[in-house]
Amino acid sequence: MKLVIFDVDGTLVDSLRDILASMAAAFTGQGLAVPSDDAIKGIVGLSLPVAMDRLAPPGVDAAGLEALVAGYKAAYAALRVQNGAAGSPLFPGALAALDRLAADPGVRLAVATGKSRRGLDGLIAAHGLEGRFASTQVADDHPSKPDPSMVLACLRETGIAAGDAVMVGDTDFDIDMGRAAGVRTVGVQWGYHPVERLARADLLIDRFAALDAALARLWGTA
């Protein structure tokens, strides 16, 4: 059996609009300047407490960071209700790629995301992706990326060896997480980190249609 582990934001779905809006609401709500779009894109994938610690200006204490996290969660949840799947559309080719892989009896799929369980479950339901993933790991239960905990949990839950698994993501947090867990990595170029930050990936792809060939190459089945 082979295992493909996907990041979510910036890899499967384009949630940047709602992320930027939620960050703006969180920081404005605390009377703080809103970080730049590039700064926010740079922390996508990290767990929220870690992300806020990186984005907040000097002098914001623990209570202030907690307020930023709470403000972001509230804003994002409201946008999810308001916008539904349209707020985080699947990238072109994502659904077809998931369908192809899910139809292969020798492949299992998993998710390792900085989203909360509530956020991931809502996204899966909004896009009708129920039943596709054998393991779903979220920020609620693990240290932030690039700690390998989420990938290691995917391996344990599926019983698949690290050598038969691949992590697919758009940030260097995803690539470093996969490498730390001993799995090979595919960096996607349509996400939120510039390509130069993906240099440690085993392979890079610029469209979902190229994923199957990349996996075959890494597994030596091409």
Side-chain angles (χ1 to χ4, degrees):
M1 293 293 296
K2 306 296 185 184
L3 177 66
V4 187
I5 308 168
F6 288 96
D7 168 58
V8 175
D9 296 307
T11 300
L12 290 177
V13 301
D14 186 4
S15 49
L16 186 60
R17 183 182 66 176
D18 283 358
I19 290 172
L20 293 175
S22 299
M23 282 293 183
F27 277 79
T28 301
Q30 296 303 308
L32 298 172
V34 178
S36 69
D37 289 0
D38 283 345
I40 294 171
K41 286 193 289 186
I43 56 80
V44 173
L46 295 174
S47 298
L48 268 177
V50 176
M52 290 304 188
D53 188 49
R54 293 194 182 188
L55 289 174
V60 175
D61 60 13
L65 293 175
E66 289 181 6
L68 286 171
V69 169
Y72 178 93
K73 287 182 175 180
Y76 200 91
L79 286 171
R80 185 170 62 246
V81 172
Q82 175 183 317
N83 298 329
S88 296
L90 288 160
F91 280 106
L95 183 59
L98 291 174
D99 285 345
R100 286 195 306 272
L101 291 168
D104 186 334
V107 175
R108 289 191 173 182
L109 305 181
V111 163
T113 177
K115 282 186 174 298
S116 67
R117 175 61 62 188
R118 181 177 67 170
L120 179 61
D121 287 351
L123 184 77
I124 287 174
H127 287 293
L129 300 178
E130 297 93 338
R132 283 179 172 80
F133 302 108
S135 180
T136 54
Q137 304 303 320
V138 298
D140 299 345
D141 306 320
H142 298 278
S144 179
K145 299 175 184 182
D147 188 284
S149 178
M150 285 195 278
V151 173
L152 294 174
C154 289
L155 298 176
R156 286 195 304 271
E157 288 192 1
T158 60
I160 295 174
D164 293 318
V166 173
M167 177 70 210
V168 181
D170 72 303
T171 71
D172 57 1
F173 310 132
D174 300 313
I175 303 309
D176 291 344
M177 175 177 66
R179 288 169 60 89
V183 308
R184 283 167 286 189
T185 57
V186 172
V188 305
Q189 299 181 44
W190 54 79
Y192 304 147
H193 277 191
V195 173
E196 55 267 23
R197 288 185 62 171
L198 304 177
R200 291 184 295 278
D202 291 297
L203 292 175
L204 296 176
I205 58 173
D206 61 2
R207 62 195 187 284
F208 261 111
L211 179 58
D212 301 64
L215 295 173
R217 180 176 171 187
L218 291 176
W219 288 325
T221 58

